[in-house]
Amino acid sequence: GDHLCKAMSIDVTPSSGLVSAASVDVSCTGGGTDKCMDAEVVTSLSPSSLAEPSPLACSLDCSGTHACQNMRFPCPLHSAASCSGTNACRNVKDLFCSRGKGACTLTCSGNGACRDSKFTCGEAKACVVGCSGSDHDTCESLAVHGQTASSLSFTVGVHGGEVWSKDGYGRDTG
């Protein structure tokens, strides 16, 4: 249904002494709108402790209208974030990948799916960003910071208009 977890807060701080590592998989999918809109993932860990080896390994799957719009997600992605649907991940500023080997992928599909969001690639990580669909603003004003990634690639399969994106230096690349 609509508004199922809207504005909810999820504390992902591993308990000291009980858990040395945690996997946090957030999935806001299914029918309805605004599922996790304005939700927030919180942790008492400092940003420097989220660098590899991080005590957290996270994934994010947002599907549907406004599914994760405006979400705060300061949790290191271990492999992927998926955003499909109108404004599914619009204005999500905290998406970042953990450091280390392997690939980290952001997949955006739908009208404004990743519009006005920020994605930071992890150091020494292969970073892949994919924008697809029939809507011209799927990745409009998406800021991708990949200066320390081992590689950075964009796949664009948008039909019906211009594609807008910015690299880590603020230059238009689309």
Side-chain angles (χ1 to χ4, degrees):
D2 294 346
H3 315 287
L4 284 177
C5 298
K6 186 174 181 179
M8 105 176 136
S9 181
I10 304 167
D11 188 340
V12 296
T13 304
S15 300
S16 58
L18 299 176
V19 178
S20 61
S23 176
V24 179
D25 300 308
V26 176
S27 180
C28 300
T29 61
T33 62
D34 305 340
K35 285 179 247 353
C36 297
M37 184 178 187
D38 300 321
E40 170 178 42
V41 172
V42 295
T43 181
S44 63
L45 298 171
S46 68
S48 62
S49 72
L50 294 175
E52 281 294 318
S54 173
L56 296 173
C58 306
S59 68
L60 181 64
D61 183 11
C62 301
S63 176
T65 301
H66 309 289
C68 296
Q69 184 173 339
N70 303 323
M71 178 184 266
R72 288 194 25 97
F73 195 80
C75 193
L77 297 165
H78 60 281
S79 62
S82 176
C83 304
S84 64
T86 300
N87 296 324
C89 292
R90 184 175 184 169
N91 200 36
V92 176
K93 303 291 187 196
D94 304 311
L95 290 174
F96 70 99
C97 294
S98 58
R99 296 174 9 175
K101 296 180 181 179
C104 189
T105 303
L106 173 63
T107 304
C108 307
S109 175
N111 184 15
C114 293
R115 184 177 184 171
D116 301 322
S117 294
K118 178 181 168 189
F119 181 59
T120 302
C121 303
E123 185 176 331
K125 199 103 158 154
C127 191
V128 179
V129 178
C131 298
S132 63
S134 60
D135 302 300
H136 71 280
D137 64 349
T138 299
C139 291
E140 183 175 342
S141 299
L142 170 64
V144 176
H145 298 271
Q147 296 91 327
T148 61
S150 63
S151 65
L152 176 60
S153 64
F154 288 90
T155 303
V156 180
V158 178
H159 308 286
E162 296 179 65
V163 176
W164 300 83
S165 63
K166 292 187 177 187
D167 67 10
Y169 299 102
R171 297 184 299 243
D172 275 336
T173 59

